[in-house]
Amino acid sequence: MKKYIQQNEAIFLFLISFTIVFAIQYKMVTNTLPYSVHVDEAPIVSKAIRMMKTGDFNPHSFNYPTLPIYLTTIGTTIGFFKSASQLETKSLKDLSGRIYPYFKYPTIIKYPKLLFIMLSSLIFVFLALIIKNIYPNQKWIYCTIPILFASNVYMKQSWSYLNVNIIGAFFIISTLLYLLVNKGNDSIFTKVLFPSILVGATIASKYNFFPLVIPVMLSIFFYSKEQKIFKILLILPVSIVTFIVLVPYSLLDFPKFLTDVSFEIWHYKSGHLGYDGTPGFQQLLYYLNSIFMQFTIPLTLVDRKSTRLNSSHTDISRMPSSA
């Protein structure tokens, strides 16, 4: 048994890491319910519940891509059945009331949160596998998991609320790991089709993650031995088809899709009033400083008074007691 463990040391360490990360995030989720700690969670959850109640899977708004909403709907459906088994709900008519700043029926929202933190925990493992693939004989690669765990922003994004970033990050890391593991395989499926499907799924999670197409192209350019141009040209149509499959109403409700996506482009371009510093080199330094500060490494490169972002908060006084 000891010899078997030694031969499969990496597998055991990654499984243990996944279990520990998931358990910690699970504890955080259960400790915060029934509260919703971020206002951006409400639009996703409300659409998922509306789909359950009406059977209409058209989100009727495309400010968020619908893949995270569909995943949330799967989770809330499981949670609804679990809630009924606990005598909290007995029909879809019960699915009314507050979503933010707290949930009327926390069991229903618990299960999509579990799905999201499972994907988030896999990101830890996949990232470590990427580093292990690059440095196969280095023991220090196991430090990647606690380093990522030290990021306050990532941890908060990963468990505190349902958001499109975690789903998109999962597909990004999955794509990079797949490309790395299969860099020597030059088949159409391995080099183009499956990576392009992952690209489509990533964009169906968050629109502005489209640059993921670049490493797929580079993988073909550097590691493919034949039909490079054909393979690169095939990425775009496969990604688009995948996106349409996962966000079907982008085609079925095309005018609304165009309107909402163009608004998001304007929204990102115009910024967030009161939450942005003055554009330029100082703001770039602020962002770099923020990255270092995530890992508790101080870097005083900028005057934080001039570039500090205003932090939003939840009004605790409006929340019910968890008792």
Side-chain angles (χ1 to χ4, degrees), residues 138-271:
Q138 300 296 322
K139 296 292 184 180
W140 61 264
I141 60 108
Y142 301 121
C143 295
T144 57
I145 292 177
I147 287 174
L148 185 59
F149 197 80
S151 170
N152 179 54
V153 166
Y154 180 81
M155 287 303 296
K156 184 177 180 180
Q157 291 274 328
S158 65
W159 69 264
S160 62
Y161 72 106
L162 301 173
N163 65 84
V164 300
N165 300 304
I166 287 300
I167 305 300
F170 170 76
F171 283 115
I172 289 173
I173 296 297
S174 299
T175 304
L176 297 178
L177 177 60
Y178 184 83
L179 291 174
L180 196 59
V181 170
N182 295 283
K183 63 183 179 182
N185 190 327
D186 201 23
S187 69
I188 292 291
F189 178 83
T190 305
K191 263 294 180 286
V192 183
L193 296 183
F194 194 69
S196 299
I197 290 171
L198 291 175
V199 169
T202 303
I203 301 172
S205 302
K206 188 165 184 176
Y207 301 125
N208 47 1
F209 284 169
F210 66 87
L212 180 63
V213 72
I214 295 174
V216 178
M217 291 180 174
L218 291 176
S219 176
I220 296 171
F221 181 79
F222 286 111
Y223 296 108
S224 186
K225 296 179 180 179
E226 55 185 19
Q227 296 181 303
K228 289 186 178 182
I229 301 300
F230 170 74
K231 289 174 181 175
I232 290 175
L233 292 177
L234 194 58
I235 295 172
L236 185 60
V238 175
S239 300
I240 291 174
V241 169
T242 302
F243 177 85
I244 292 174
V245 169
L246 297 175
V247 189
Y249 288 93
S250 62
L251 195 61
L252 298 175
D253 197 356
F254 193 55
K256 181 62 174 173
F257 173 74
L258 292 179
T259 299
D260 288 349
V261 172
S262 64
F263 172 79
E264 288 304 313
I265 294 172
W266 175 88
H267 173 213
Y268 275 88
K269 180 64 177 179
S270 61

Side-chain angles (χ1 to χ4, degrees), residues 82-97:
K82 182 64 176 179
S83 178
S85 73
Q86 296 177 349
L87 304 181
E88 290 181 356
T89 58
K90 63 179 180 180
S91 74
L92 289 172
K93 294 180 180 179
D94 294 327
L95 301 185
S96 59

Side-chain angles (χ1 to χ4, degrees), residues 267-278:
H267 173 213
Y268 275 88
K269 180 64 177 179
S270 61
H272 299 73
L273 185 63
Y275 288 82
D276 292 315
T278 303

